[in-house]
């Protein structure tokens, strides 16, 4: 198939080209897919997109008018796609349901350890000849209570790792999973998880029901000094409420790999630019906040799996007109 690959970075080109056994014609385009850039895919049968590409109704309308039949997501989440519009326009949407849940779970643990033990600050201090420990005190993870919201593929690996640290794990998910229970997690109502957890890690998808799950009201219910980690989707947290939570001390540390307004900022080198996002810039001023640029998935294994599944999805759709990884 002739596919226009939006938001292409050098690593996308490298891994997708290596996996392209089916001989699809891939046009690598650097811009993000928006209404303004959609015309770049004119003449292509499908688009291959990532987390910051916009697949709203107006964009899908343009794609459809250009003959697009397939949206191939190079990610698991599909919150950036208007699925109703896609269905009405006869555009099939496929995704990569799982590529390396370990990559994200391990990264969440990395954020937690870094915030707690302040590796980033020690690294810089020691390189400057400052061997003082002032301000670097952390806490033992052993015996602490960890709340895991969303116990799917990533959440379960996170539970396993935290059990390895001898933590007590509380979990919340509308679908309780025996595998998570076997790993040692105890399902509790959200309120209990909020009240008892020293650490909370978010691993649920972004949906209308989870939008701003952490908001002004829920921040008040948290245990004072909680460490909050979000490697899932930015809009699970109301960033303004998080700032107030940090200022009041309710949130003792905040690790974000995702941010609700990350689109157009994350994945770009803006080091020479004035960043027009006062909330993000305020978050970056706190010593107990660590922000990374939607990097949790970024391992060799994940990139290989994403490329292989994405190309496989395109091949399957080209042959059968349907795909096992279709989003409905
Ligand atoms: P998954 O589908 O295996 O698990 C998601 C779980 O969340 C399910 O068990 C589901 O029942 C649960 N859930 C749904 N609504 C909930 C709610 N209201 N409260 C609590 N739990 C709820 O998904 P996964 O592969 O584990 O991925 C989880 C999320 O991680 C994805 O949705 C995606 O947003 C994010 N992600 C981030 C990165 C990254 O690089 N930062 C990479 C991959 C995935």
């Amino acid at each position: 198939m002739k596919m226009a690959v939006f938001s292409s970075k050098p690593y996308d080109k490298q891994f997708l080209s290596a996996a392209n056994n089916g001989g699809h014609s891939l046009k690598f385009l650097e811009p993000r897919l928006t209404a303004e850039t959609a015309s770049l895919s004119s003449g292509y049968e499908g688009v291959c997109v990532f987390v910051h590409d916009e697949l709203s109704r107006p964009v899908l309308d343009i794609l459809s008018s250009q003959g697009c039949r397939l949206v191939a997501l190079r990610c698991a989440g599909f919150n950036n796609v208007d699925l109703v519009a896609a269905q009405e326009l006869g555009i099939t949407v496929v995704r990569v349901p799982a590529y390396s849940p370990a990559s994200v779970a391990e990264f969440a643990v990395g954020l937690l350890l870094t915030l707690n033990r302040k590796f980033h600050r020690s690294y810089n201090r020691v390189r400057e000849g400052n061997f003082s420990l002032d301000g670097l005190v952390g806490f033992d993870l052993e015996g602490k209570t960890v709340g895991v919201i969303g116990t799917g593929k990533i959440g379960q690996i996170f539970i396993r790792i935290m059990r390895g640290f001898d933590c007590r794990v509380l979990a919340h998910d509308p679908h309780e999973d025996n595998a998570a229970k076997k790993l040692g997690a105890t399902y509790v109502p959200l309120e209990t998880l909020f009240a008892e957890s020293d650490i909370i890690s978010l691993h649920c998808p972004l949906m209308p029901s989870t939008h701003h799950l952490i908001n002004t009201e829920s921040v008040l219910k948290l245990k004072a000094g909680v460490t909050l980690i979000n490697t899932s989707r930015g809009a699970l947290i109301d960033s303004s409420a998080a700032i107030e939570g940090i200022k009041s001390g309710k949130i003792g540390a905040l690790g974000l790999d995702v941010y609700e307004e990350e689109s157009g900022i994350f994945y770009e080198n803006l080091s020479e630019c004035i960043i027009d996002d006062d909330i993000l810039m305020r978050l970056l001023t706190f010593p107990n906040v660590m922000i990374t640029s939607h990097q949790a998935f970024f391992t060799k294994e994940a990139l290989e799996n994403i490329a292989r599944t994405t190309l496989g999805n395109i091949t399957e759709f080209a042959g059968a007109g349907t795909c096992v990884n279709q989003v409905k």
Side-chain angles (χ1 to χ4, degrees):
M1 280 184 79
K2 277 186 79 183
M3 299 290 295
V5 186
F6 281 90
S7 301
S8 290
K9 299 289 181 194
Y11 46 83
D12 293 308
K13 194 171 178 182
Q14 179 194 337
F15 283 88
L16 285 169
S17 299
N20 191 13
N21 306 326
H24 298 289
S25 165
L26 305 179
K27 173 79 174 167
F28 292 98
L29 301 164
E30 281 180 30
R32 210 161 54 87
L33 174 60
T34 63
E36 286 70 42
T37 62
S39 62
L40 293 172
S41 63
S42 179
Y44 287 82
E45 299 162 275
V47 293
C48 180
V49 295
F50 199 47
V51 290
H52 296 153
D53 291 304
E54 278 177 31
L55 293 123
S56 56
R57 184 178 285 275
V59 174
L60 289 165
D61 277 336
I62 299 170
L63 295 180
S64 173
S65 71
Q66 295 173 170
C68 172
R69 297 184 292 126
L70 178 68
V71 169
L73 292 157
R74 309 196 287 283
C75 53
F78 46 85
N79 51 284
N80 53 336
V81 186
D82 185 332
L83 291 175
V84 176
Q87 193 180 11
E88 283 171 12
L89 293 164
I91 298 176
T92 300
V93 180
V94 295
R95 67 175 183 135
V96 184
Y99 40 88
S100 171
S103 66
V104 183
E106 291 169 10
F107 194 88
V109 178
L111 278 178
L112 167 61
L113 288 172
T114 306
L115 281 164
N116 177 19
R117 304 306 297 271
K118 304 167 180 64
F119 297 134
H120 54 312
R121 297 179 69 191
S122 336
Y123 174 81
N124 286 322
R125 270 191 200 186
V126 169
R127 284 171 75 90
E128 291 185 359
N130 177 356
F131 296 90
S132 151
L133 296 183
D134 288 345
L136 300 185
V137 68
F139 57 84
D140 287 7
L141 288 176
E142 185 182 50
K144 293 293 182 298
T145 299
V146 179
V148 179
I149 302 183
T151 57
K153 293 177 284 297
I154 296 170
Q156 286 188 26
I157 296 177
F158 185 80
I159 291 169
R160 177 164 51 74
I161 299 172
M162 297 322 294
R163 289 290 296 143
F165 279 99
D166 250 343
C167 293
R168 169 186 178 230
V169 177
L170 302 180
H172 181 78
D173 192 309
H175 306 289
E176 296 193 4
D177 190 311
N178 280 334
K181 289 181 189 168
K182 277 195 187 135
L183 287 167
T186 305
Y187 283 97
V188 293
L190 201 50
E191 311 281 309
T192 311
L193 186 148
F194 282 155
E196 294 188 16
S197 300
D198 302 293
I199 295 145
I200 295 177
S201 195
L202 306 182
H203 298 291
C204 56
L206 176 62
M207 304 179 294
S209 61
T210 57
H211 184 263
H212 285 185
L213 182 76
I214 305 295
N215 54 39
T216 305
E217 214 178 293
S218 48
V219 165
L220 294 175
K221 297 175 184 162
L222 301 175
K223 186 167 176 179
V226 65
T227 297
L228 179 62
I229 306 289
N230 186 9
T231 54
S232 203
R233 282 293 182 267
L236 294 177
I237 299 182
D238 175 346
S239 308
S240 301
I243 289 172
E244 291 312 311
I246 293 160
K247 284 161 70 180
S248 71
K250 265 285 188 188
I251 297 177
L254 178 66
L256 300 179
D257 185 50
V258 287
Y259 166 63
E260 53 183 329
E261 300 296 335
E262 68 181 50
S263 183
I265 299 178
F266 284 17
Y267 300 146
E268 306 303 328
N269 178 0
L270 303 179
S271 52
E272 301 295 322
C273 304
I274 306 297
I275 296 173
D276 187 16
D277 186 323
D278 293 352
I279 292 178
L280 177 63
M281 298 324 277
R282 180 67 178 112
L283 282 168
L284 286 169
T285 65
F286 295 109
N288 52 350
V289 173
M290 165 154 278
I291 302 181
T292 51
S293 183
H294 206 138
Q295 179 192 339
F297 75 100
F298 203 54
T299 65
K300 180 176 167 290
E301 290 80 2
L303 289 170
E304 281 170 355
N305 289 338
I306 288 171
R308 195 174 43 248
T309 305
T310 300
L311 270 305
N313 286 345
I314 297 167
T315 302
E316 192 182 335
F317 174 78
T322 56
C323 176
V324 68
N325 291 325
Q326 194 165 334
V327 188
K328 299 214 170 119

